[in-house]
Coordinates of all heavy atoms in Angstrom, one line a residue:
M23 N 19.3 -62.5 -11.8 CA 18.5 -61.4 -11.5 C 19.2 -60.1 -12.0 O 20.4 -59.9 -11.7 CB 18.3 -61.4 -10.0 CG 17.5 -60.2 -9.5 SD 17.6 -60.1 -7.8 CE 16.0 -60.5 -7.3
K24 N 18.5 -59.3 -12.7 CA 19.1 -58.1 -13.2 C 18.8 -56.9 -12.3 O 17.7 -56.7 -11.9 CB 18.4 -57.9 -14.6 CG 19.2 -56.9 -15.4 CD 18.6 -56.9 -16.8 CE 19.5 -56.1 -17.7 NZ 19.0 -56.0 -19.1
L25 N 19.9 -56.2 -12.0 CA 19.8 -55.0 -11.1 C 19.5 -53.8 -11.9 O 20.1 -53.6 -13.0 CB 21.0 -54.9 -10.3 CG 21.3 -56.0 -9.3 CD1 22.7 -55.7 -8.6 CD2 20.3 -56.0 -8.2
K26 N 18.7 -52.9 -11.4 CA 18.4 -51.6 -12.0 C 19.6 -50.7 -11.7 O 20.0 -50.7 -10.6 CB 17.1 -51.0 -11.6 CG 15.9 -51.7 -12.0 CD 14.7 -51.0 -11.6 CE 13.4 -51.6 -12.1 NZ 12.2 -50.9 -11.6
P27 N 20.0 -49.9 -12.6 CA 21.1 -48.9 -12.3 C 20.5 -47.8 -11.4 O 19.4 -47.4 -11.4 CB 21.5 -48.3 -13.6 CG 20.3 -48.6 -14.6 CD 19.6 -49.8 -14.0
L28 N 21.3 -47.4 -10.5 CA 20.9 -46.3 -9.5 C 20.8 -45.0 -10.3 O 21.6 -44.7 -11.2 CB 22.0 -46.2 -8.4 CG 22.1 -47.4 -7.5 CD1 23.3 -47.1 -6.5 CD2 20.8 -47.6 -6.7
K29 N 19.8 -44.2 -9.9 CA 19.5 -43.0 -10.6 C 20.3 -41.9 -9.9 O 20.4 -41.8 -8.7 CB 18.1 -42.6 -10.5 CG 17.2 -43.5 -11.4 CD 15.8 -42.9 -11.4 CE 14.9 -43.8 -12.3 NZ 13.5 -43.3 -12.4
D30 N 20.9 -41.0 -10.7 CA 21.7 -39.9 -10.1 C 20.7 -38.8 -9.8 O 19.9 -38.4 -10.6 CB 22.7 -39.4 -11.2 CG 23.7 -38.4 -10.6 OD1 23.6 -38.1 -9.4 OD2 24.5 -37.9 -11.4
P31 N 20.8 -38.3 -8.5 CA 19.8 -37.3 -8.1 C 19.9 -36.0 -8.9 O 19.0 -35.2 -9.0 CB 20.1 -37.0 -6.6 CG 21.4 -37.7 -6.3 CD 21.6 -38.7 -7.4
M32 N 21.0 -35.8 -9.6 CA 21.2 -34.6 -10.4 C 20.3 -34.6 -11.6 O 19.9 -33.6 -12.1 CB 22.7 -34.4 -10.9 CG 23.6 -34.1 -9.8 SD 23.5 -32.4 -9.2 CE 24.2 -31.6 -10.7
Y33 N 20.0 -35.8 -12.1 CA 19.2 -35.9 -13.3 C 17.8 -36.3 -13.1 O 17.1 -36.5 -14.1 CB 19.9 -36.9 -14.3 CG 21.3 -36.4 -14.6 CD1 22.4 -37.0 -14.1 CD2 21.5 -35.3 -15.5 CE1 23.7 -36.6 -14.5 CE2 22.7 -34.9 -15.8 CZ 23.9 -35.5 -15.3 OH 25.1 -35.1 -15.6
T34 N 17.4 -36.5 -11.9 CA 16.0 -36.8 -11.7 C 15.1 -35.6 -11.6 O 15.5 -34.5 -11.1 CB 15.8 -37.6 -10.3 OG1 16.3 -36.8 -9.3 CG2 16.6 -38.9 -10.4
K35 N 13.9 -35.7 -12.1 CA 13.0 -34.5 -12.1 C 12.1 -34.7 -10.9 O 11.6 -35.7 -10.6 CB 12.2 -34.5 -13.4 CG 13.0 -34.2 -14.6 CD 12.1 -34.1 -15.8 CE 12.9 -33.9 -17.1 NZ 12.1 -33.8 -18.3
S36 N 11.9 -33.6 -10.2 CA 10.9 -33.6 -9.2 C 9.5 -33.3 -9.8 O 9.4 -32.5 -10.7 CB 11.2 -32.6 -8.1 OG 11.2 -31.3 -8.6
H37 N 8.5 -33.9 -9.3 CA 7.2 -33.7 -9.8 C 6.3 -32.9 -8.9 O 5.1 -33.2 -8.8 CB 6.5 -35.1 -10.1 CG 7.3 -35.8 -11.2 ND1 7.2 -35.5 -12.5 CD2 8.1 -36.9 -11.1 CE1 8.0 -36.3 -13.2 NE2 8.5 -37.2 -12.4
T38 N 6.9 -32.0 -8.1 CA 6.1 -31.2 -7.2 C 5.6 -30.0 -8.0 O 6.2 -29.5 -8.9 CB 7.0 -30.7 -6.1 OG1 8.1 -30.0 -6.6 CG2 7.5 -31.8 -5.2
K39 N 4.4 -29.6 -7.6 CA 3.8 -28.4 -8.2 C 4.4 -27.2 -7.7 O 4.7 -27.1 -6.5 CB 2.3 -28.4 -7.9 CG 1.5 -29.6 -8.6 CD 0.0 -29.5 -8.3 CE -0.7 -30.6 -8.9 NZ -2.1 -30.6 -8.7
P40 N 4.6 -26.2 -8.6 CA 5.2 -24.9 -8.1 C 4.2 -24.2 -7.2 O 3.0 -24.3 -7.3 CB 5.4 -24.1 -9.4 CG 4.5 -24.7 -10.4 CD 4.3 -26.1 -10.0
A41 N 4.8 -23.4 -6.3 CA 4.0 -22.7 -5.3 C 3.3 -21.5 -6.0 O 3.8 -21.0 -7.0 CB 4.8 -22.1 -4.2
K42 N 2.1 -21.2 -5.6 CA 1.4 -20.0 -6.2 C 2.1 -18.8 -5.8 O 2.4 -18.6 -4.6 CB -0.1 -20.0 -5.7 CG -0.9 -21.1 -6.3 CD -2.3 -20.9 -5.9 CE -3.2 -22.1 -6.5 NZ -4.6 -21.9 -6.1
T43 N 2.3 -17.9 -6.8 CA 3.0 -16.6 -6.5 C 2.0 -15.5 -6.4 O 2.4 -14.4 -6.0 CB 4.0 -16.3 -7.6 OG1 3.4 -16.3 -8.8 CG2 5.1 -17.4 -7.6
L44 N 0.8 -15.7 -6.7 CA -0.2 -14.6 -6.6 C -0.6 -14.3 -5.2 O -0.9 -15.3 -4.5 CB -1.5 -14.9 -7.4 CG -1.3 -15.1 -8.9 CD1 -2.6 -15.6 -9.6 CD2 -0.8 -13.9 -9.6
S45 N -0.5 -13.1 -4.8 CA -0.9 -12.8 -3.4 C -2.4 -12.6 -3.3 O -3.1 -12.3 -4.3 CB -0.1 -11.5 -3.0 OG -0.6 -10.4 -3.8
Q46 N -2.9 -12.8 -2.1 CA -4.3 -12.6 -1.8 C -4.6 -11.1 -1.9 O -3.8 -10.3 -1.5 CB -4.6 -13.2 -0.5 CG -4.4 -14.7 -0.4 CD -5.4 -15.4 -1.3 OE1 -6.5 -15.0 -1.5 NE2 -5.0 -16.5 -1.9
P47 N -5.8 -10.7 -2.4 CA -6.1 -9.3 -2.4 C -6.2 -8.8 -0.9 O -6.7 -9.4 0.0 CB -7.5 -9.2 -3.1 CG -8.0 -10.6 -3.0 CD -6.8 -11.5 -2.9
L48 N -5.8 -7.5 -0.8 CA -5.8 -6.9 0.6 C -7.3 -6.5 0.9 O -8.0 -6.0 0.0 CB -4.9 -5.7 0.6 CG -3.4 -6.0 0.4 CD1 -2.7 -4.7 0.4 CD2 -2.9 -6.8 1.6
P49 N -7.7 -6.6 2.1 CA -9.1 -6.2 2.4 C -9.2 -4.7 2.3 O -8.2 -3.9 2.6 CB -9.2 -6.6 3.9 CG -7.9 -6.8 4.4 CD -7.0 -7.1 3.3
K50 N -10.3 -4.2 1.8 CA -10.5 -2.8 1.7 C -10.7 -2.1 3.0 O -11.5 -2.6 3.8 CB -11.7 -2.5 0.8 CG -11.5 -3.0 -0.6 CD -12.7 -2.6 -1.5 CE -12.5 -3.1 -2.9 NZ -13.6 -2.8 -3.8
K51 N -9.9 -1.0 3.2 CA -10.0 -0.3 4.5 C -11.1 0.8 4.4 O -11.2 1.4 3.3 CB -8.7 0.3 4.8 CG -7.6 -0.7 5.1 CD -6.3 0.0 5.5 CE -5.2 -1.0 5.8 NZ -4.0 -0.3 6.2
Q52 N -11.8 1.0 5.5 CA -12.8 2.0 5.5 C -12.1 3.4 5.7 O -11.1 3.4 6.5 CB -13.8 1.8 6.7 CG -14.6 0.5 6.5 CD -15.5 0.6 5.3 OE1 -16.0 1.7 5.0 NE2 -15.8 -0.5 4.7
P53 N -12.5 4.4 5.0 CA -11.9 5.7 5.2 C -12.1 6.2 6.6 O -13.2 6.0 7.2 CB -12.5 6.6 4.1 CG -13.8 5.9 3.8 CD -13.6 4.5 4.0
H54 N -11.2 7.0 7.1 CA -11.3 7.5 8.4 C -12.4 8.6 8.4 O -12.3 9.5 7.5 CB -10.0 8.1 9.0 CG -9.0 7.1 9.2 ND1 -9.0 6.2 10.3 CD2 -7.9 6.7 8.5 CE1 -8.0 5.4 10.2 NE2 -7.3 5.7 9.2
K55 N -13.2 8.6 9.4 CA -14.3 9.7 9.4 C -13.8 10.7 10.4 O -13.3 10.4 11.5 CB -15.6 9.1 9.8 CG -16.2 8.1 8.8 CD -17.6 7.7 9.2 CE -18.1 6.7 8.2 NZ -19.4 6.2 8.5
S56 N -14.1 12.0 10.1 CA -13.7 13.0 11.0 C -14.7 13.1 12.2 O -15.9 12.6 12.0 CB -13.6 14.4 10.3 OG -14.9 14.7 9.8
L57 N -14.3 13.6 13.2 CA -15.2 13.7 14.4 C -16.4 14.7 14.0 O -16.2 15.7 13.4 CB -14.5 14.3 15.6 CG -13.3 13.4 16.1 CD1 -12.6 14.1 17.3 CD2 -13.9 12.0 16.6
S58 N -17.6 14.4 14.5 CA -18.7 15.2 14.1 C -18.7 16.5 14.9 O -19.4 17.5 14.6 CB -20.0 14.4 14.4 OG -20.0 14.1 15.8
T59 N -17.8 16.6 16.0 CA -17.8 17.8 16.8 C -16.7 18.7 16.3 O -16.4 19.8 16.9 CB -17.5 17.4 18.2 OG1 -16.3 16.7 18.3 CG2 -18.6 16.6 18.8
W60 N -16.0 18.4 15.2 CA -14.8 19.2 14.7 C -15.4 20.5 14.1 O -16.3 20.5 13.4 CB -14.1 18.4 13.6 CG -12.9 19.2 13.1 CD1 -11.7 19.3 13.6 CD2 -12.9 20.0 11.9 NE1 -10.9 20.1 12.9 CE2 -11.6 20.6 11.8 CE3 -13.8 20.4 11.0 CZ2 -11.2 21.4 10.8 CZ3 -13.5 21.2 10.0 CH2 -12.2 21.7 9.9
Q61 N -14.7 21.6 14.5 CA -15.0 22.9 14.0 C -13.7 23.6 13.6 O -12.7 23.4 14.3 CB -15.7 23.7 15.1 CG -17.1 23.2 15.4 CD -18.1 23.4 14.3 OE1 -18.1 24.4 13.6 NE2 -19.0 22.5 14.2
P62 N -13.7 24.3 12.5 CA -12.5 25.0 12.1 C -12.2 26.1 13.2 O -13.1 26.7 13.8 CB -12.8 25.7 10.8 CG -14.3 25.7 10.7 CD -14.8 24.6 11.5
Q63 N -10.9 26.4 13.4 CA -10.5 27.4 14.3 C -10.7 28.8 13.7 O -10.4 29.0 12.5 CB -9.0 27.2 14.7 CG -8.8 25.9 15.5 CD -7.4 25.7 16.0 OE1 -6.5 26.5 15.5 NE2 -7.1 24.8 16.8
Q64 N -11.0 29.7 14.5 CA -11.2 31.1 14.1 C -9.8 31.7 14.0 O -8.9 31.4 14.7 CB -12.0 31.9 15.1 CG -13.4 31.4 15.3 CD -14.2 31.7 14.0 OE1 -14.0 32.7 13.3 NE2 -15.2 30.8 13.7
T65 N -9.6 32.5 12.9 CA -8.4 33.2 12.7 C -8.5 34.6 13.3 O -9.6 35.2 13.3 CB -8.0 33.2 11.2 OG1 -6.8 33.9 11.1 CG2 -9.0 33.9 10.4
T66 N -7.3 35.2 13.7 CA -7.3 36.5 14.2 C -6.9 37.5 13.1 O -6.8 38.7 13.3 CB -6.4 36.7 15.4 OG1 -5.1 36.2 14.9 CG2 -6.8 35.8 16.5
L67 N -6.6 37.0 11.9 CA -6.2 37.9 10.8 C -7.4 38.4 10.0 O -8.4 37.8 9.9 CB -5.4 37.1 9.8 CG -4.1 36.5 10.3 CD1 -3.4 35.6 9.2 CD2 -3.1 37.5 10.7
T68 N -7.2 39.7 9.6 CA -8.3 40.3 8.8 C -8.1 39.8 7.3 O -7.1 39.2 6.9 CB -8.2 41.8 8.8 OG1 -7.0 42.2 8.3 CG2 -8.3 42.3 10.3
R69 N -9.1 40.1 6.5 CA -9.0 39.8 5.1 C -7.9 40.4 4.4 O -7.2 39.9 3.5 CB -10.3 40.1 4.4 CG -11.5 39.2 4.7 CD -12.7 39.6 3.9 NE -13.8 38.6 4.2 CZ -14.7 38.2 3.3 NH1 -14.7 38.7 2.1 NH2 -15.6 37.4 3.7
E70 N -7.6 41.7 4.7 CA -6.5 42.4 4.1 C -5.2 41.8 4.5 O -4.3 41.7 3.6 CB -6.6 43.9 4.6 CG -7.7 44.7 4.0 CD -9.1 44.4 4.7 OE1 -9.1 44.0 5.8 OE2 -10.1 44.6 4.0
E71 N -5.0 41.4 5.7 CA -3.8 40.7 6.1 C -3.6 39.4 5.4 O -2.5 39.1 5.0 CB -3.8 40.5 7.7 CG -3.7 41.8 8.5 CD -3.9 41.6 9.9 OE1 -4.6 40.6 10.3 OE2 -3.3 42.3 10.7
I72 N -4.7 38.6 5.3 CA -4.6 37.4 4.5 C -4.2 37.6 3.1 O -3.4 36.9 2.5 CB -5.9 36.6 4.7 CG1 -6.2 36.2 6.1 CG2 -5.9 35.3 3.8 CD1 -7.5 35.6 6.4
R73 N -4.9 38.6 2.4 CA -4.5 39.0 1.1 C -3.1 39.4 0.9 O -2.4 39.0 0.0 CB -5.4 40.1 0.6 CG -6.8 39.6 0.2 CD -7.6 40.8 -0.4 NE -9.0 40.3 -0.6 CZ -10.1 41.0 -0.2 NH1 -9.9 42.2 0.4 NH2 -11.3 40.6 -0.4
A74 N -2.6 40.1 1.9 CA -1.2 40.6 1.8 C -0.2 39.3 1.9 O 0.8 39.3 1.2 CB -0.9 41.5 2.9
I75 N -0.6 38.4 2.8 CA 0.3 37.2 2.9 C 0.3 36.4 1.6 O 1.3 35.9 1.1 CB -0.2 36.3 4.1 CG1 0.0 37.1 5.4 CG2 0.5 35.0 4.1 CD1 -0.6 36.4 6.6
I76 N -0.9 36.2 1.0 CA -1.0 35.5 -0.2 C -0.3 36.2 -1.3 O 0.5 35.5 -2.1 CB -2.5 35.2 -0.6 CG1 -3.1 34.3 0.5 CG2 -2.6 34.7 -2.0 CD1 -4.6 34.1 0.3
L77 N -0.4 37.5 -1.5 CA 0.3 38.2 -2.5 C 1.8 38.1 -2.3 O 2.5 38.1 -3.3 CB -0.2 39.7 -2.6 CG -1.6 39.9 -3.1 CD1 -2.0 41.3 -3.0 CD2 -1.7 39.5 -4.6
E78 N 2.2 38.1 -1.1 CA 3.7 38.0 -0.8 C 4.2 36.6 -1.2 O 5.3 36.5 -1.8 CB 3.9 38.2 0.7 CG 5.4 38.2 1.1 CD 5.5 38.4 2.6 OE1 4.8 39.2 3.2 OE2 6.3 37.6 3.2
Q79 N 3.4 35.6 -1.0 CA 3.8 34.2 -1.4 C 3.8 34.0 -2.9 O 4.6 33.4 -3.5 CB 2.9 33.2 -0.7 CG 3.1 33.1 0.8 CD 2.3 32.0 1.5 OE1 1.4 31.4 0.8 NE2 2.5 31.8 2.7
I80 N 2.8 34.6 -3.5 CA 2.6 34.5 -5.0 C 3.8 35.3 -5.7 O 4.3 34.8 -6.7 CB 1.3 34.9 -5.5 CG1 0.2 34.0 -5.0 CG2 1.2 35.0 -7.0 CD1 -1.2 34.4 -5.3
G81 N 4.0 36.4 -5.2 CA 5.1 37.2 -5.7 C 4.7 38.4 -6.5 O 3.9 38.8 -7.2

């Protein structure tokens, strides 16, 4: 009776399929909606004061 030689695990090939590396697409998020009761706040500055501030920032 002829014995088969033992296979060295270093030289055996695994036949497993590689794992998929592609990620699943992210679900699309709905944009946040502003409250329907939102109103801009009133300013206490006059137009001239606002212009002066802007001109000061611009230079």
Side-chain angles (χ1 to χ4, degrees):
M23 179 190 248
K24 194 171 190 181
L25 294 175
K26 290 184 179 179
L28 295 175
K29 290 185 179 180
D30 188 0
M32 291 285 289
Y33 298 108
T34 58
K35 293 182 181 178
S36 64
H37 296 286
T38 58
K39 292 182 181 179
K42 289 185 179 180
T43 58
L44 298 176
S45 62
Q46 295 295 325
L48 296 174
K50 292 183 180 179
K51 293 182 180 179
Q52 295 295 327
H54 294 286
K55 292 184 179 179
S56 62
L57 298 175
S58 61
T59 58
W60 180 84
Q61 294 291 323
Q63 293 181 349
Q64 294 293 325
T65 181
T66 58
L67 299 174
T68 64
R69 287 184 178 212
E70 290 77 24
E71 291 172 328
I72 294 173
R73 284 187 185 128
I75 293 170
I76 292 172
L77 287 173
E78 182 181 318
Q79 290 180 355
I80 292 175

